[in-house]
Amino acid sequence: MDKKLLVIMCEEGDIDEEKLVILGRLTDQAKMRPGDFDLYKLSRQDCLEDFRFSSHQLEILKEALEFPDIMYTDAQNVIPGMEALCILLRRLAYPNRLCDLEKLFGRNRSVLSRCFNQSLKHVHDKFCWRLSTPVQPWISSNTLSLWAETVSQKGSPYDRCTGFVDGTKTEICRPLDYATQNICYTGHKKEHDLKYTGVMTLCGIMYLMCGPEPGSFHDAKLLYRSEILNMMKESRTWPPTPETGYYLYGDQAYKSTPQVVDPVRYNASPLETACNTAMKTLRISVEWGFGKIGNPFFFNKALEALKLGLQPLGMYFRVATLLTNYHTCLNGSQTSNSFAVEPPTLAEYLENYLEDHIDN
């Protein structure tokens, strides 16, 4: 029964408000028509392959991402929250065509498209701010001290290094207009790219991901535009003085500052060369982090599907980064295993996110 008709019947006194609420819920449930999709009929292996999480982890993820029990799209399509989450994960996991997803979810491709876009926007707008600030509740002075000590024990000559910074790129389709083509073109790879700056911690969390920026920009320029260094200067968690402050380690693309240390590039002594070699071995962890984003959520590597101006490409990558961090919280990662540092639990990673967001 149409909800408008129910409201009219309530106004005319044919039904009371209690019956209006009950009939409204029954109407929503009738509209859902979940089709052939039933998460709990899938095996654990199928869940991991299709959604990158087990069915139990999907339940945890649904609560963490605050998906409602019933999601309404802009066109008033009614979809269960768990199914909306699965549509988001399945779409990002591989460059699926919407007609392929119709067979899995039993829904029209237009409904799937609207559900995916709304789920993506919900996650990005509510949670991806966390990828833009170095000040987060789960990172304390004790945490930074532990990370610095771990890096030193792994052979680093630096005793205050707590993470690794680097740039990454995603190749996109050639943009339509010449100006955008020119600014996104990178002569090094001879392709059109969008670039991001990421910071990897020893526990496997890519806790900063800034961008996108045009592919022609240098990594050092990306770091400057990201405001990461200024936020670290102003933070009480990251003391600004070189003697007492913590810093990140980057490759030769970056200039040394109190917040970022780079390799010795010119006239290096044998000791400095050995130092560069030791840090190069440790710095590979940031590449592992970029790889973990791209492999489980391969949609961001599908060149033909990434069209600048037609799709929210930055939103795709940042949401994939956030979901990768959630995956690390639940399953660990190559980086956390290598440094023997446990990642935070999902509850710790999300602790007091609302108050923290307001304060910063």
Side-chain angles (χ1 to χ4, degrees):
M1 185 177 292
D2 185 28
K3 277 190 172 182
K4 293 181 180 179
L5 179 59
L6 291 175
V7 172
I8 293 173
M9 292 174 65
C10 182
E11 291 174 350
E12 293 179 351
D14 294 334
I15 58 174
D16 57 25
E17 292 185 0
E18 184 178 352
K19 287 185 178 179
L20 174 65
V21 173
I22 294 173
L23 291 174
R25 290 175 180 172
L26 292 174
T27 301
D28 288 341
Q29 293 173 5
K31 284 182 179 179
M32 280 195 281
R33 292 182 297 183
D36 298 329
F37 179 74
D38 186 348
L39 174 65
Y40 302 102
K41 288 183 179 179
L42 300 177
S43 67
R44 175 182 173 81
Q45 186 62 32
D46 288 339
C47 278
L48 293 176
E49 290 179 355
D50 288 347
F51 312 120
R52 308 313 189 199
F53 296 89
S54 67
S55 58
H56 174 65
Q57 291 174 344
L58 287 172
E59 293 176 354
I60 298 173
L61 200 62
K62 176 179 175 291
E63 296 299 321
L65 292 173
E66 299 183 10
F67 270 74
D69 292 332
I70 298 176
M71 176 173 282
Y72 296 87
T73 68
D74 295 337
Q76 295 303 307
N77 303 115
V78 186
I79 300 176
M82 179 60 79
E83 185 174 350
L85 174 61
C86 290
I87 290 171
L88 171 67
L89 294 172
R90 186 68 181 96
R91 180 76 163 150
L92 290 176
Y94 198 76
N96 307 275
R97 300 176 301 172
L98 291 172
C99 60
D100 296 328
L101 297 185
E102 284 181 330
K103 302 170 186 176
L104 176 61
F105 293 99
R107 294 185 183 275
N108 183 273
R109 65 191 68 183
S110 61
V111 176
L112 293 170
S113 178
R114 285 191 290 266
C115 178
F116 169 73
N117 290 331
Q118 185 150 331
S119 300
L120 185 81
K121 188 175 186 302
H122 167 79
V123 175
H124 183 272
D125 292 351
K126 200 157 190 176
F127 298 97
C128 280
W129 64 266
R130 191 174 279 279
L131 299 174
S132 302
T133 172
V135 182
Q136 300 186 25
W138 65 278
I139 301 179
S140 64
S141 298
N142 291 336
T143 305
L144 294 175
S145 177
L146 172 63
W147 291 348
E149 182 180 352
T150 302
V151 173
S152 182
Q153 291 174 354
K154 278 285 187 176
S156 168
Y158 302 107
D159 61 352
R160 310 289 290 180
C161 177
T162 59
F164 304 93
V165 59
D166 200 5
T168 188
K169 65 178 182 62
T170 56
E171 186 179 1
I172 61 174
C173 288
R174 185 178 67 180
L176 295 177
D177 62 286
Y178 177 77
T180 309
Q181 288 179 22
N182 190 42
I183 198 171
C184 289
Y185 184 77
T186 170
H188 175 58
K189 296 289 186 178
K190 294 183 170 38
E191 61 191 26
H192 296 88
D193 296 329
L194 292 179
K195 285 187 174 181
Y196 304 84
T197 298
V199 176
M200 170 59 74
T201 62
L202 276 61
C203 63
I205 297 291
M206 185 73 72
Y207 85 107
L208 288 176
M209 182 60 71
C210 300
E213 298 284 0
S216 60
F217 286 7
H218 191 270
D219 284 357
K221 184 174 183 178
L222 299 184
L223 181 62
Y224 173 77
R225 287 170 60 91
S226 70
E227 294 292 328
I228 291 175
L229 302 185
N230 290 334
M231 287 187 285
M232 290 174 67
K233 286 179 186 178
E234 298 169 1
S235 167
R236 289 175 296 178
T237 310
W238 299 78
T241 61
E243 295 79 13
T244 61
Y246 298 103
Y247 43 79
L248 306 172
Y249 185 85
D251 60 17
Q252 62 270 19
Y254 300 105
K255 179 181 178 181
S256 283
T257 69
Q259 290 76 38
V260 176
V261 176
D262 69 335
V264 179
R265 285 174 283 185
Y266 306 108
N267 301 320
S269 66
L271 182 60
E272 290 171 333
T273 301
C275 170
N276 289 347
T277 302
M279 293 307 296
K280 183 178 180 180
T281 303
L282 298 177
R283 198 193 66 82
I284 195 66
S285 62
V286 71
E287 304 296 346
W288 294 341
F290 291 141
K292 186 173 181 182
I293 297 170
N295 291 333
F297 300 105
F298 198 77
F299 189 85
N300 288 290
K301 289 187 175 181
L303 169 62
E304 295 80 4
L306 304 179
K307 300 175 182 178
L308 187 62
L310 299 179
Q311 297 167 306
L313 304 187
M315 197 179 291
Y316 290 164
F317 194 82
R318 287 167 61 81
V319 169
T321 302
L322 184 75
L323 293 171
T324 301
N325 286 343
Y326 287 4
H327 190 277
T328 298
C329 290
L330 295 171
N331 301 285
S333 70
Q334 185 176 2
T335 300
S336 63
N337 293 336
S338 175
F339 287 102
V341 176
E342 287 293 323
T345 65
L346 194 54
E348 291 170 343
Y349 183 65
L350 297 173
E351 180 184 6
N352 296 329
Y353 79 90
L354 182 59
E355 291 80 5
D356 182 46
H357 184 33
I358 291 174
D359 292 342
N360 290 281

